Amino acid sequence: MSGRSGLATRLYQGEAGLNIIGRRRVWFGIAAGLVLIAILGISIPGFKLGIEFSGGNSFQVPASVGTIAHAEEQVDAALGDLGGAEPAHVVSSQTVNGVGGSFYEFRTTELDTEQSNEVQADMAGKFGIAEDQISVNQVSAAWGDQVTERALLGLVVFVVLVMIYLVLRFEWRMAVAAVSSLFLNLVLTAGIYALVGFEVTPSTIVGFLTILGFALYDVVVVFDKVQENTRGITASSTQTYGEASNLAINQTLMRSINTGLVALLPVGGLLFIGAGLLGAGTLEDLGLVLFVGMGIAVYSSIFFATPVLTLLKDYEPRIQTHTKRVLARRSSGATARPARPVAQSGSEPADETTDGQDVDEAAALSGAAPKVGARPAGKRSAGARGGRPAGGSGNRPSGAKRR
């Protein structure tokens, strides 16, 4: 192989030296650490539920009233005027750029109809605008419960269909490894979402279901190559199942990275430009879930799904027997065979020998090649000198007399 070959070519031919399967304990340890952090993030700070799930009220005020900080102070003051044992407060605030102009959206704890009308009138007086310029929406927590139940039902149906497809398309071990990768993706994305502190909205649920499809696509691409490399592998004794799977990861690594980058670019624009720079707050929850989930999907398909698959295959008796046979053959070959000549760059690898005759042939072929113009090395007949016929010299017949 030429030294100028690109990384993609060397990965595809297994020459880059990325031993991912051989270091699967490292990847499992990293995954376990990330899962622990995600669980702590979910349990300690917890999810910040939007009013769709916790119930509450939404007040939309024109952005012309001033800065969002000043507007939030006025809304808090209006809520404080209600009094009560548990005073209402602002849960979240954001700037929304709509077709009719920009406005501020303030989400508060749940209020009844009378309290909502009172706060609306108080806010209109504080901002000096008409009451009809303030939009009020009330959301019950029961609606969020329905959304959660339907999302969980959709997740269960999706996982069942994925299991059936992967079992029919590949085998049950690949199905288990793929679903394990999907759950890892969900847990890590949920943990990061909880640590960041974004509100959980219906868009968040949609984002979680979307990243499952992307993660499954990447895993299926890798598993398809694994199946191609390991088809009929037990019929030979040159490569173990783990080595063939590792080659499959190398061959699909650049494709997975390129696919992930292409998918992350528009999602990153949605999150950082749309929600960050342009202030489209309604996009931040969806953008964060998609960005984090797609990035983790690339990691899990390479460093988790296939290592889990090889771990499960190592418990299969047929694969265990094959692995022992390959290792025994290599061990006997390392002690009984002479060292093979190192192939030069660009040359085909030498075929492995299987018996003593092949060893002799390999040793003979490894000798030095004759120089250009040299005579063939053959045996001379008795009495021959310099290649002349025996019994005379030069080109004269043997019976001619010298004068």
Side-chain angles (χ1 to χ4, degrees):
M1 181 59 58
S2 174
R4 295 177 294 178
S5 298
L7 177 61
T9 302
R10 292 188 289 113
L11 284 171
Y12 189 83
Q13 295 183 353
E15 299 176 352
L18 298 181
N19 187 12
I20 296 175
I21 298 298
R23 297 182 175 91
R24 64 188 180 190
R25 292 185 179 180
V26 176
W27 314 129
F28 290 158
I30 294 175
L34 293 176
V35 169
L36 179 60
I37 295 174
I39 293 176
L40 292 176
I42 295 173
S43 58
I44 296 178
F47 291 110
K48 186 178 180 181
L49 299 179
I51 61 174
E52 294 87 356
F53 297 94
S54 61
N57 292 68
S58 172
F59 295 90
Q60 296 178 354
V61 182
S64 58
V65 299
T67 63
I68 188 172
H70 171 71
E72 185 173 352
E73 292 178 358
Q74 299 299 325
V75 175
D76 276 328
L79 293 172
D81 293 340
L82 293 176
E86 295 182 1
H89 62 276
V90 176
V91 177
S92 65
S93 60
Q94 63 179 353
T95 303
V96 180
N97 297 319
V99 178
S102 300
F103 59 89
Y104 303 138
E105 182 179 19
F106 300 97
R107 296 181 175 183
T108 68
T109 52
E110 192 170 3
L111 306 172
D112 57 29
T113 304
E114 183 179 354
Q115 290 175 326
S116 177
N117 294 334
E118 183 179 347
V119 171
Q120 182 183 14
D122 195 359
M123 289 171 57
K126 293 180 181 297
F127 290 130
I129 58 177
E131 291 187 18
D132 58 0
Q133 290 185 270
I134 301 177
S135 177
V136 182
N137 296 310
Q138 186 173 4
V139 180
S140 173
W143 185 82
D145 295 337
Q146 294 178 359
V147 172
T148 304
E149 292 176 0
R150 293 177 181 177
L152 292 176
L153 178 61
L155 176 62
V156 172
V157 172
F158 178 83
V159 171
V160 171
L161 293 178
V162 166
M163 290 287 290
I164 295 175
Y165 167 75
L166 292 177
V167 169
L168 296 178
R169 175 64 178 84
F170 300 108
E171 59 168 313
W172 70 267
R173 293 176 182 84
M174 288 189 175
V176 172
V179 172
S180 300
S181 175
L182 294 182
F183 280 114
L184 174 68
N185 199 12
L186 285 178
V187 171
L188 295 184
T189 304
I192 294 177
Y193 198 91
L195 290 173
V196 172
F198 281 14
E199 284 188 351
V200 178
T201 64
S203 299
T204 308
I205 305 300
V206 173
F208 273 105
L209 297 178
T210 303
I211 61 176
L212 290 178
F214 180 84
L216 178 63
Y217 164 77
D218 212 24
V219 170
V220 168
V221 169
V222 178
F223 281 2
D224 184 71
K225 195 62 181 178
V226 171
Q227 185 185 54
E228 178 183 343
N229 288 358
T230 58
R231 184 178 290 112
I233 192 172
T234 55
S236 64
S237 57
T238 59
Q239 196 177 36
T240 65
Y241 188 94
E243 292 169 348
S245 301
N246 189 77
L247 177 60
I249 296 178
N250 280 260
Q251 292 172 331
T252 56
L253 181 61
M254 292 304 299
R255 177 175 179 176
S256 298
I257 294 176
N258 292 334
T259 303
L261 289 177
V262 170
L264 287 176
L265 286 176
V267 176
L270 182 72
L271 177 61
F272 298 108
I273 298 178
L277 297 180
L278 301 181
T282 55
L283 300 177
E284 62 182 11
D285 45 5
L286 178 62
L288 179 64
V289 170
L290 293 179
F291 187 83
V292 175
M294 289 181 176
I296 296 176
V298 176
Y299 164 80
S300 61
S301 64
I302 298 172
F303 298 99
F304 187 78
T306 308
V308 169
L309 171 63
T310 57
L311 179 64
L312 295 175
K313 295 293 289 186
D314 285 344
Y315 289 99
E316 187 177 354
R318 181 174 60 95
I319 299 300
Q320 288 181 349
T321 303
H322 169 70
T323 303
K324 292 178 181 179
R325 184 171 66 250
V326 173
L327 297 180
R329 181 177 183 272
R330 290 179 182 174
S331 177
S332 62
T335 56
R337 297 176 190 170
R340 296 170 57 190
V342 179
Q344 297 180 354
S345 176
S347 63
E348 296 293 334
D351 295 334
E352 296 192 30
T353 58
T354 57
D355 52 28
Q357 181 180 359
D358 292 336
V359 172
D360 295 338
E361 292 178 359
L365 292 175
S366 63
K371 297 181 180 180
V372 178
R375 297 177 179 177
K379 293 182 179 181
R380 299 180 182 178
S381 58
R385 296 180 57 188
R388 298 177 183 176
S393 61
N395 295 325
R396 293 193 301 268
S398 59
K401 296 182 178 180
R402 184 180 300 178
R403 296 179 182 179

